[in-house]
Amino acid sequence: MFHVGGARTALQNWIYAQQHGGVFVLRIEDTDAARNKPEWTEGILQALDWIGIERGTYEGPYYQSSYAADHTAAATRLYGEGRAYYCDCKRDDVIARTGNTHTGYDGFCRERALGPGEGRALRFRTPDEGETVVEDLVRGKPTFENKLLEDFVIARSDGSAVFLLANVVDDMSLGITHVFRAEEHLPNTPKQQLLWEALGATPPIWGHVPVIVNEKRQKLSKRRDKVALESYRDEGYLAAAMRNYLMLLGWSPTGDREIVPWSVIEEEYRIEDVNHAPAFYDVKKLRAFNGEYIRALTPSEFTQVCAPWLTGTETIPAPSWDPEKFDADVFMAIAPLAQTRIGVLAEIVENVDFLFLDEPVHDEASWAKAMKEGAAEILDDTAAAFGALTDWSAEALKTTLEAVGETRGLKLGKTQAPVRVAVTGRTIGLPLFESIELLGRERTLARISAARARL
């Protein structure tokens, strides 16, 4: 699944490229066979399509595996030039020599002149003096003392390049000039810059954006938190709302506003203005954002975006009603009431299902809450009063039920509770009387009768 943090960073790279007449490049790092399947790559492409980075508008996707020969050539060059050496040390060997489990590699094999062989990794020889300065548009110029950088592995004993070298070679091959990524990669950056320089190329300009954290201020984790962009899409978050919210993780537009058109973000966003502090991923706030975007849709747009949840798709389950029982005209009539109340599009189903099911859903908690002492008498009186109505309108239905309550000294809220559960199956939902008007006289009275029989 595509992590929301990856989506945030992709958008930041995308906007920067657009602002500066550059090109966004998508590369799939597919060298780990256990984490590489075609359907997962397609999921990334679909997720990018959804947030507006559409196929055909960028370079790629390129695949890291396509550059394996270049990786090998770079490793061979560095070894041949004395910038790298082979090492057969195990971690336990280093600990035994240093007596410390926290220190890095101690350079033991630097002068052993080992050649390639089984169990021997290739290490880059870092400088003993000087410092490496990172040009970072977010963090200024982080500086690292070279003597504190261990001689790090750039290729495994089988000759395959590790992440640090592969990324550098790929970026060089693709002409990458700017790299914006999560701050967790900052410790890798001086090592990668040294590789760029050793291979005779100018490093890119970097931007390390803040880590995203949950409500406990823990780094957002796919094992603990809801982070898959596709899951938000399938739950019914609008792409525009998600895109707006992701861009606010570490940055904000001018003025006292957060919900802004994408054109404003494109104009105002500056990577240099991104905050250093961890960005709180507030799902409640995202939901509120989404609700605002839903309410801003025209009725026609709202009906259109609800369609996947009314029929089902490959990733969205079909609703519980028989497709033949769905009435588009009835839905269009009820849709404006739902539009003002739902936070995500998936909620449309539970708000309108009573209209298209033969019987309302049975929610035990709702039944227990509403069908208390006196409920049977209310249902009896309501059935009689509704049955006598000649004007089956929301206003007439409301007035009638108010009168039923008054004869028992009850306010409308108490009176309508058992009626709502009898008709819709739930204690909470859309405005009751408009719902009953659309459901119709025959079905409404039948449901009240069926509920009364259960008491």
Side-chain angles (χ1 to χ4, degrees):
M1 291 294 209
F2 194 38
H3 195 292
V4 291
R8 186 270 306 258
T9 309
L11 286 169
Q12 292 171 323
N13 282 274
W14 170 259
I15 288 182
Y16 191 88
Q18 300 297 306
Q19 290 174 334
H20 295 83
V23 177
F24 177 91
V25 180
L26 175 63
R27 184 173 67 242
I28 305 297
E29 298 182 340
D30 62 339
T31 53
D32 184 346
R35 301 173 62 188
N36 174 38
K37 291 187 179 180
E39 59 267 32
W40 295 345
T41 297
E42 177 60 24
I44 292 173
L45 299 179
Q46 289 181 6
L48 288 173
D49 285 339
W50 182 61
I51 57 172
I53 304 178
E54 299 178 345
R55 277 173 270 202
T57 64
Y58 54 79
E59 279 195 15
Y62 298 108
Y63 294 87
Q64 190 165 69
S65 57
S66 301
Y67 298 91
D70 294 338
H71 304 160
T72 300
T76 301
R77 173 183 167 183
L78 292 171
Y79 173 65
E81 294 176 355
R83 302 301 301 271
Y85 60 91
Y86 284 96
C87 170
D88 61 1
C89 295
K90 304 291 190 297
R91 180 60 185 159
D92 289 343
D93 299 333
V94 178
I95 294 173
R97 286 196 299 268
T98 63
N100 191 325
T101 59
H102 302 293
T103 58
Y105 179 66
D106 59 356
F108 178 77
C109 290
R110 267 192 169 199
E111 309 305 330
R112 293 179 67 199
L114 297 176
E118 184 177 349
R120 294 178 179 179
L122 188 64
R123 289 184 180 273
F124 182 77
R125 188 188 297 266
T126 58
D128 295 324
E129 299 178 348
E131 57 189 22
T132 297
V133 179
V134 175
E135 294 287 343
D136 193 307
L137 294 181
V138 177
R139 299 172 186 278
K141 294 186 177 182
T143 301
F144 300 83
E145 291 187 69
N146 291 332
K147 66 181 181 180
L148 299 179
L149 300 174
E150 68 175 359
D151 291 352
F152 53 92
V153 173
I154 58 173
R156 304 174 185 89
S157 60
D158 63 3
S160 61
V162 301
F163 166 81
L164 291 172
L165 180 61
N167 260 36
V168 167
V169 173
D170 293 347
D171 284 354
M172 290 173 60
S173 300
L174 295 172
I176 301 301
T177 58
H178 293 71
V179 175
F180 304 146
R181 57 188 186 179
E183 68 172 294
E184 63 198 62
H185 289 289
L186 184 57
N188 292 327
T189 309
K191 300 176 182 178
Q192 290 183 295
Q193 282 204 179
L194 288 171
L195 288 172
W196 275 82
E197 293 161 359
L199 292 169
T202 302
I205 295 173
W206 311 88
H208 289 89
V209 298
V211 67
I212 302 176
V213 298
N214 62 20
E215 60 185 4
K216 296 181 180 179
R217 298 306 188 266
Q218 301 167 320
K219 178 185 171 184
L220 214 59
S221 166
K222 62 183 179 182
R223 295 178 179 83
R224 179 182 55 239
D225 304 300
K226 181 181 172 183
V227 300
L229 191 68
E230 298 95 321
S231 68
Y232 287 97
R233 177 196 63 197
D234 294 345
E235 191 176 336
Y237 284 83
L238 297 176
M242 176 61 75
R243 190 165 59 171
N244 186 165
Y245 182 72
L246 288 175
M247 288 304 297
L248 298 181
L249 298 175
W251 175 84
S252 59
T254 58
D256 186 21
R257 54 183 181 166
E258 292 184 310
I259 298 178
V260 294
W262 183 248
S263 59
V264 171
I265 295 176
E266 287 183 308
E267 179 181 350
E268 294 191 1
Y269 176 79
R270 296 291 180 272
I271 186 71
E272 296 86 351
D273 295 336
V274 171
N275 201 314
H276 296 189
F280 171 36
Y281 190 78
D282 188 343
V283 178
K284 292 180 181 178
K285 185 174 182 178
L286 170 60
R287 179 186 169 86
F289 261 54
N290 201 59
E292 291 293 330
Y293 271 87
I294 287 174
R295 288 185 280 280
L297 297 172
T298 66
S300 176
E301 289 170 337
F302 178 69
T303 300
Q304 184 177 356
V305 298
C306 284
W309 288 268
L310 303 176
T311 59
T313 68
E314 289 184 2
T315 57
I316 298 171
S320 55
W321 59 73
D322 183 337
E324 294 182 357
K325 298 294 179 66
F326 180 74
D327 187 321
D329 291 334
V330 170
F331 177 75
M332 290 184 67
I334 200 75
L337 300 176
Q339 185 175 358
T340 62
R341 288 167 172 80
I342 64 175
V344 294
L345 295 176
E347 292 173 351
I348 191 64
V349 173
E350 65 187 51
N351 275 277
V352 305
D353 61 0
F354 72 95
L355 291 167
F356 310 120
L357 292 168
D358 290 332
E359 299 177 356
V361 297
H362 179 66
D363 179 69
E364 189 61 44
S366 294
W367 182 271
K369 184 176 181 180
M371 301 303 182
K372 298 179 179 178
E373 184 179 353
E377 291 76 11
I378 291 174
L379 292 179
D380 286 339
D381 292 353
T382 300
F386 281 3
L389 279 176
T390 56
D391 177 13
W392 192 263
S393 66
E395 188 59 37
L397 291 162
K398 179 181 178 182
T399 300
T400 300
L401 195 58
E402 285 177 329
V404 168
E406 287 174 0
T407 62
R408 297 182 174 279
L410 298 174
K411 292 184 178 180
L412 182 59
K414 292 287 187 181
T415 310
Q416 72 177 12
V419 177
R420 176 183 288 280
V421 172
V423 172
T424 72
R426 299 182 177 93
T427 54
I428 299 174
L430 303 183
L432 177 61
F433 303 107
E434 287 82 353
S435 298
I436 292 176
E437 179 182 348
L438 284 170
L439 186 65
R441 180 193 301 271
E442 182 179 344
R443 295 174 73 194
T444 297
L445 293 177
R447 289 185 180 188
I448 292 175
S449 176
R452 176 63 181 86
R454 289 181 59 192
L455 292 173

